[in-house]
Amino acid sequence: MSLDRYGRNINYLRISLTDRCNLRCVYCMPAEMTFRPRAELLQDEELYRLLPIFAGLLGFSKFRLTGGEPTLRENVVEIVRRIAATPSVQTVAMTTNGLLLNKLAAPLADAGLTRLNISIDTLDPDKFKQITRWGDVAEVWDGIKAAMEAGLQIKLNAVVVRGFNDRQDVIDLAKLTYDFPWQVRFIEMMPFGEVAEFQQAKTVCEAELLALIGDRLAPPILLNQGQLDGEARLYQLPGAQGCLGFISSVTQPFCAGCNRARLTADGKLRLCLLREQELDVLTPLRQGISDAELTQRIEAAIWEKPWGHGLAEQQIPMNRVMSEIGG
Ligand code: SAM
Ligand code: SF4
C-alpha cells in the first residue's frame, strides 16, 4: 500500500503512452505542438520493468492508459496484455479519442482491457471538426460501435466549452443515455500552460448544465446520494438506461479522495494533475538504479503528494499542457 502524508491510499496509476496525437483539441494543446523525440519517452521494456514495482511493491491495482492518443503507441495491444497479466493488477482501462478503435477495440479487449473512456464533445460533425481542428465524428462513432461489439464497458467524455458546445450539444449527448447503458460525462475545462487563459474564460459548471438539462429534458435524479464514482457525480434522466456524470474538478474539487498518480510519456511521476511537482523516474532507470532504491524514491514522492490543486488561488500549472500528462 502507498500512503501519502494525508492518509490517502494511492493505488491508481494513469500512464501516458505518448505525447503525440492525431487530433489537436483546442482546450488540450496549441495548433503548433512540438512533440518529444521518441528516444526521450519511456520505452516498452522500461515500462515493463516498472509494472511489478507499481503493482507488486507499491500496491497499485488500477491502471489507465492515456496520452496524447494512446492508440498511436506502436505496441499498445502488447502493453495492455503485459499490464493485465501483472500480478495484483485488477483493472486496465484506457482513455482515447476513439479514432483507431475500429481496428483496435477487439484486440485490446482480447488483451485484457476492460473499460474505455471515449472522448466526444459534440455529435455535430462541423463543430467536432472545429473543436478537434480536423477530426471526423463519424470515425469516433465507428470506434464506439466497435468497442460495444468487443464487449468493453463504455463511458463517453465531453469537455464543455462555453459558447461552443454548452447548449444543444449537451442535450444531444445527454439523450444518448436513453438508448445506451453508458455513462456520459461532462468535464469542466481545466487550465494548463499556454492555453490557460482560453480555458479559464470558457469553463462551464455542473449547476449550469444540470439546469439546462432539467429545462430541456427532465430534472436529472442524483444517484448514490451524491457519492462520487471515481471523479464523477452521477445523475440519471428518468427512464434512461445510462447515466450522466459530472466531473467538476475546478468548481467542486475532489482532491480529498484522490487516489491517483500519473506517469508522463517522458517517464516523470506526476503527483497531482494540476501541480508541477514531478519525480524523474526515467533518468535513474537508464542509469541502472535498483528496484529497491527506485521503489523507495517513488514511495517518498507519493508521501509528498500535494494535498490538492490551487486553481482557486490562481495557481496554474505552466510546465505542461494536458496532452503531455494525460488527464
Ligand atoms: N487522446 C485521448 C482522449 O482525448 O481521450 C486521451 C488523452 S486526453 C488528454 C484525456 C482526457 O482529457 C480527454 O477526455 C480530454 O477531453 C480531456 N481534456 C483535455 N484537455 C482538457 C482540459 N483542458 N480540461 C479538462 N479536460 C481536458
Ligand atoms: Fe488529442 Fe485527446 Fe488532447 Fe484531443 S484531448 S488533442 S484527442 S490528446
Side-chain angles (χ1 to χ4, degrees):
M1 186 191 281
S2 292
L3 290 179
D4 73 359
R5 66 200 149 123
Y6 303 104
R8 294 174 295 190
N9 177 13
I10 313 305
N11 58 9
Y12 179 8
L13 187 66
R14 296 191 173 197
I15 305 173
S16 171
L17 288 184
T18 173
D19 59 342
R20 283 161 207 272
C21 191
N22 41 8
L23 294 177
R24 295 285 183 283
C25 301
V26 292
Y27 47 71
C28 182
M29 57 169 102
E32 304 303 325
M33 183 72 188
T34 342
F35 297 110
R36 285 172 203 279
R38 275 171 215 270
E40 284 182 18
L41 304 186
L42 195 68
Q43 306 294 304
D44 293 359
E45 291 308 321
E46 291 163 338
L47 176 57
Y48 298 156
R49 182 164 163 217
L50 291 176
L51 290 177
I53 294 181
F54 277 98
L57 299 173
L58 293 163
F60 282 69
S61 56
K62 205 173 155 190
F63 288 73
R64 174 173 296 276
L65 300 176
T66 173
E69 179 43 45
T71 56
L72 293 179
R73 175 84 177 226
E74 262 172 28
N75 295 328
V76 64
V77 173
E78 183 54 25
I79 290 172
V80 167
R81 195 182 313 285
R82 293 287 285 260
I83 299 176
T86 304
S88 307
V89 170
Q90 286 169 11
T91 60
V92 191
M94 180 182 282
T95 305
T96 169
N97 61 29
L99 293 184
L100 299 179
L101 284 180
N102 207 359
K103 188 175 82 199
L104 282 172
L108 286 171
D110 279 352
L113 193 81
T114 46
R115 297 183 193 163
L116 264 184
N117 288 15
I118 303 174
S119 302
I120 182 165
D121 300 328
T122 171
L123 305 184
D124 176 325
D126 293 330
K127 281 191 172 181
F128 188 82
K129 188 155 280 168
Q130 240 177 305
I131 205 160
T132 58
R133 295 201 172 97
W134 59 68
D136 179 356
V137 75
E139 290 179 25
V140 183
W141 265 116
D142 289 346
I144 294 173
K145 278 188 224 142
M148 277 171 74
E149 278 157 24
L152 290 160
Q153 280 180 48
I154 296 175
K155 290 181 185 168
L156 299 188
N157 283 357
V159 173
V160 184
V161 182
R162 183 171 301 286
F164 183 79
N165 65 343
D166 59 336
R167 312 297 299 172
Q168 188 58 40
D169 311 81
V170 167
I171 301 300
D172 293 341
L173 287 162
K175 276 161 74 179
L176 291 175
T177 62
Y178 286 126
D179 299 324
F180 300 99
W182 304 332
Q183 190 183 121
V184 174
R185 299 151 26 119
F186 299 105
I187 303 175
E188 283 182 354
M189 197 163 39
M190 291 176 273
F192 289 91
E194 296 174 34
V195 274
E197 215 170 295
F198 162 82
Q199 289 155 340
Q200 280 188 303
K202 307 275 185 186
T203 296
V204 184
C205 73
E206 178 176 333
E208 194 177 329
L209 294 178
L210 279 170
L212 172 73
I213 295 169
D215 199 35
R216 297 277 300 278
L217 297 174
I221 300 157
L222 182 67
L223 301 181
N224 308 334
Q225 280 113 29
Q227 265 200 328
L228 297 187
D229 169 51
E231 65 270 67
R233 199 175 343 275
L234 300 186
Y235 292 81
Q236 193 165 39
L237 286 164
Q241 293 187 50
C243 62
L244 306 172
F246 291 85
I247 303 185
S248 308
S249 340
V250 180
T251 59
Q252 298 182 59
F254 37 83
C255 308
C258 183
N259 62 347
R260 283 159 219 181
R262 295 171 167 86
L263 198 54
T264 64
D266 58 333
K268 308 284 189 299
L269 187 71
R270 190 164 172 116
L271 285 315
C272 169
L273 176 63
L274 289 153
R275 294 277 185 190
E276 294 181 359
Q277 195 175 324
E278 293 175 350
L279 171 77
D280 184 358
V281 174
L282 181 59
T283 308
L285 258 187
R286 291 188 179 171
Q287 287 168 346
I289 192 169
S290 69
D291 283 3
E293 169 68 17
L294 188 57
T295 306
Q296 242 177 32
R297 285 194 200 179
I298 296 173
E299 264 171 348
I302 289 175
W303 182 254
E304 297 295 332
K305 177 176 159 73
W307 163 248
H309 68 64
L311 295 183
E313 297 84 44
Q314 290 302 310
Q315 290 167 4
I316 293 166
M318 297 306 288
N319 62 342
R320 292 179 187 270
V321 288
M322 186 66 142
S323 60
E324 296 176 294
I325 315 166

